[in-house]
Structure formats: C-alpha cells, structure tokens
Amino acid sequence: MFNWLRRKDREPELVEADEASGEGTELSGAAAEAGLSEEELAEEALTAVPEDELVLEEQEEEREASLEESLAKTRGGFFSRIKGLFNRKTEITEEFYEELEELLIQADVGVMTTQRLIEALRERVEDDNIRAIDGAREAFRDEMAGFLEDESEGLRLAQPVSLLLIVGVNGVGKTTTIGKLATYLKGAGHSVLLAAGDTFRAAAIEQLQAWGSRAGVPVIAHQPGSDPSAVIFDAIAAAEARGVDVVLADTAGRLHTKFNLMEELRKVSSVAGKRLPGAPHEVLLIVDATSGQNALIQAKQFTEVSPVTGLIVTKLDSTAKGGIVFAIRDELGLPIKFVGTGEKISDLAPFDAGRFVGGLFD
C-alpha cells in the first residue's frame, strides 16, 4: 500500500572494497564471525531488506494497531449491539431486519444509507440462499466493506511538486490533521512544506507554525488578513526553490459566508493552477466523526463550493457511534483517504475499508 509513497530517486549504491585496504580484512573478519564465506556474506547483504523499507513496515504495523485502538469506543457502543443482535438471533426474519435497521440508524449510519445496506443484505441473503445467521453476519460485513471501498488508493501526487488543499469548517481538527499528514508524508520519504492559507481566523497562522515545528517542516506565512492566494503562490515557489515535493495548504473554514468562501477557494485554485500546472492535485475535506449527522451536512455544503477529491475523518477514537463514516462515503461518493486515530502527531492512518469494518466486528 505504500508503493505510491516510495521515492523513486533512491538507487542502491555499489561499493567496491579495496582488497589491499583494511576494509577487506574487516569483511573477512565479519564473514568468519558469521561462519560464511565472503561471497555468501556479500550475497546476503545484497538480498537484505533495505532499512527504510523495514521502517515503513514498522510504521504501517503501528498505524494498524492505532486504528484498532481508535475503534474501541465505536466497537463497544452501538456496533456492539449490532454484534449482539447477530449473536442472539437464530433465524433471519423480518423482525431481525427491523432491529438491525434501528441499530444502524442509532449508530449514525443515516436513514438513506441504512436502507441501502438493509436492501443489499436482503438481496445477498436471497441470491446466495443464506439461511444461517452466521452466513448473514459475514454477508453483512462484506456489504459494509463494499460501501466504503474505493478504486483510488492513496493520494494523487504529481512531480516535481504536488499541492494539497486542506478544507473544512473551524473546529474539526484541520490544523492538527495538517501536522499529522506532514509527519506521515515525511515518514514515507517525502519532503513537505506548509502554507498558512487561513489568514482570517485568529491564531490560525501561529497554530500552523506550531504544528510545522512539531513535524519538522517549514511554514510559509504572510501577515494576518493577507490574500490566501498570495500565500499559496509563494509556498509553491518556495517548494520549487528548495526541492520540496509536497505542499500542504491550510484554508479558511467560514461556512457561514458560503459565497465568499467559494470565491476564495476558486481564486486559490486558479492562482495555484497558473503557477503549478494541475494544481491543486488534491482537495481534502476534514470531517469530525464526533459531530454525527452534522458532519454529513457540513460535508455536503463544502462539496457545493469546492471540488473535494477525498475525505479525512478525524476524532474517530472519541465517538461511540462511528457510523457517520458509512453515511458520508455513501451519500457523497468521495473516497476516505485517512482517519485520525488519536492525539499523537503520528496518529493518522490510511483508510482501509476491510480493516475498518473488521475492527468494528472483531
């Protein structure tokens, strides 16, 4: 899953040992200590897994564990009742479907998405001639994962510089998520620069600079109240000059002035596209899982004024419901790129539909 993140400019270096130097003696000593010939030791070195790949594997394992932990509240909340329903029922009856529908709505899955899930389960049970409740449980897990899956995997990054606009209403964890995403991308081998494009909210620039410091990445900022397009224009220029390949740009989150927000985002996109062909390469909407159906309403409003390409769901570890993930994915048709799994700067994980659903039921 990390193929898109690996830097292609890394080529293995071939080092020739000078037989007349002390290095040759060291190699012989190492070979003798390992009980191998020099040729065998050299072959083992060539086939060893590179250290950076091992680090990526360790990071992926940590994120998987973090995702499992973040689902604890949701798993122990309404979804535990759904599990309980499957455990105590012995037959697939109309009463079973009605109870399942009620529990899904209570879990913030939403009425429309719940109806589609129930209908999909009914069709699956009929088509596969499922009679046992265990078979219905597995079919339901498959259908839920299918609702969340998307063909596009990972971020769409361009060369030599990619611009990612981060959008969302104030209070959803937008600035925090930018810091986490910067940390994630750095760990994957990318160089990152932040653009303080939210020039209107009080302390927004200072907060982004603080997160840039924590993540160890530079921040391009202007004075409060300045033109966001100018900030992002300068950030792209700085990235090109410094050899940085990803720019993460913060934006304002003032939905109460939708027209101004729309015009601002249009201008930012237009200026960025002229400065950097194809930009913005992603427009990522941040939504707060704890806000339930309000998250869906906010997401719909933002997609009306901005060409959103993907979602990042935050505070997943803080909700006992979590079903809003299904509603947003189903009703907006947008891929979920990442989920926030905790408060640490490393608590951001690529979204995996199968693992997410498995974490709810296991």
Side-chain angles (χ1 to χ4, degrees):
M1 120 181 275
F2 287 90
N3 290 337
W4 62 274
L5 289 167
R6 295 198 179 112
R7 297 294 299 274
K8 297 181 179 179
D9 55 352
R10 285 184 171 174
E11 295 294 337
E13 294 181 358
L14 200 57
V15 180
E16 296 182 1
D18 186 349
E19 294 181 358
S21 70
E23 292 179 2
T25 305
E26 263 185 49
L27 180 60
S28 298
E33 187 177 341
L36 302 171
S37 68
E38 292 187 17
E39 291 78 7
E40 289 173 329
L41 190 64
E43 183 177 351
E44 184 178 282
L46 287 172
T47 57
V49 179
E51 185 177 347
D52 58 345
E53 290 192 16
L54 291 174
V55 170
L56 284 177
E57 290 176 5
E58 290 175 1
Q59 291 174 342
E60 184 174 13
E61 290 174 0
E62 289 175 1
R63 290 189 181 98
E64 289 177 6
S66 179
L67 177 59
E68 293 293 327
E69 293 173 5
S70 72
L71 291 174
K73 281 191 176 181
T74 300
R75 184 168 52 239
F78 283 94
F79 277 89
S80 69
R81 300 183 191 180
I82 294 173
K83 288 171 57 179
L85 173 65
F86 280 100
N87 289 336
R88 61 185 169 81
K89 292 291 184 180
T90 57
E91 297 181 354
I92 306 171
T93 63
E94 194 61 32
E95 181 185 356
F96 159 76
Y97 284 121
E98 290 175 359
E99 285 191 47
L100 180 59
E101 181 177 359
E102 182 179 345
L103 289 173
L104 287 171
I105 292 173
Q106 291 175 356
D108 265 344
V109 173
V111 175
M112 298 299 294
T113 303
T114 292
Q115 290 176 349
R116 279 191 277 269
L117 276 170
I118 295 295
E119 185 59 31
L121 178 60
R122 287 179 183 273
E123 292 179 2
R124 180 78 175 273
V125 167
E126 181 68 25
D127 293 344
D128 294 356
N129 196 29
I130 297 172
R131 294 293 176 263
I133 199 71
D134 287 343
R137 180 194 294 111
E138 293 306 311
F140 187 58
R141 286 179 56 159
D142 289 346
E143 294 300 326
M144 292 187 81
F147 263 63
L148 296 176
E149 286 175 352
D150 187 82
E151 294 181 359
S152 62
E153 185 176 341
L155 297 173
R156 296 182 298 181
L157 300 181
Q159 292 295 333
V161 179
S162 297
L163 173 66
L164 279 59
L165 290 184
I166 313 300
V167 302
V169 299
N170 296 332
V172 296
K174 184 156 52 78
T175 309
T176 301
T177 301
I178 291 173
K180 291 181 177 181
L181 185 55
T183 301
Y184 176 84
L185 290 170
K186 272 190 63 181
H190 290 275
S191 53
V192 183
L193 182 147
L194 308 184
D198 186 355
T199 61
F200 296 94
R201 182 171 62 87
I205 296 173
E206 290 80 3
Q207 288 176 3
L208 191 69
Q209 289 172 330
W211 276 103
S213 178
R214 289 183 64 184
V217 299
V219 179
I220 301 300
H222 288 189
Q223 293 297 316
S226 57
D227 184 356
S229 299
V231 177
I232 293 171
F233 183 95
D234 288 350
I236 294 171
E240 291 176 334
R242 303 178 191 185
V244 172
D245 60 324
V246 180
V247 175
L248 302 179
D250 192 10
T251 59
R254 298 164 292 112
L255 265 180
H256 58 284
T257 53
K258 286 170 55 176
F259 178 77
N260 290 340
L261 177 61
M262 179 170 61
E263 290 305 307
E264 179 182 305
L265 290 173
R266 281 177 179 170
K267 182 179 178 182
V268 165
S269 298
S270 175
V271 170
K274 290 177 181 177
R275 183 64 182 78
L276 181 66
H281 303 94
E282 291 271 17
V283 179
L284 301 176
L285 173 63
I286 313 298
V287 293
D288 180 351
T290 66
S291 60
Q293 290 297 308
N294 283 334
L296 178 59
I297 295 171
Q298 292 170 3
K300 285 181 176 179
Q301 290 176 323
F302 253 101
T303 56
E304 291 172 2
V305 302
S306 177
V308 176
T309 59
L311 304 170
I312 299 180
V313 181
T314 65
K315 307 178 186 179
L316 193 62
D317 59 310
S318 302
T319 178
K321 295 184 178 181
I324 192 61
V325 171
F326 295 91
I328 291 175
R329 175 69 182 95
D330 178 43
E331 294 200 30
L332 297 183
L334 292 170
I336 300 172
K337 301 282 188 175
F338 292 89
V339 289
T341 57
E343 297 181 357
K344 299 193 300 292
I345 196 169
S346 58
D347 287 341
L348 187 74
F351 184 73
D352 183 294
R355 187 170 291 124
F356 178 81
V357 173
L360 293 176
F361 281 89
D362 294 338

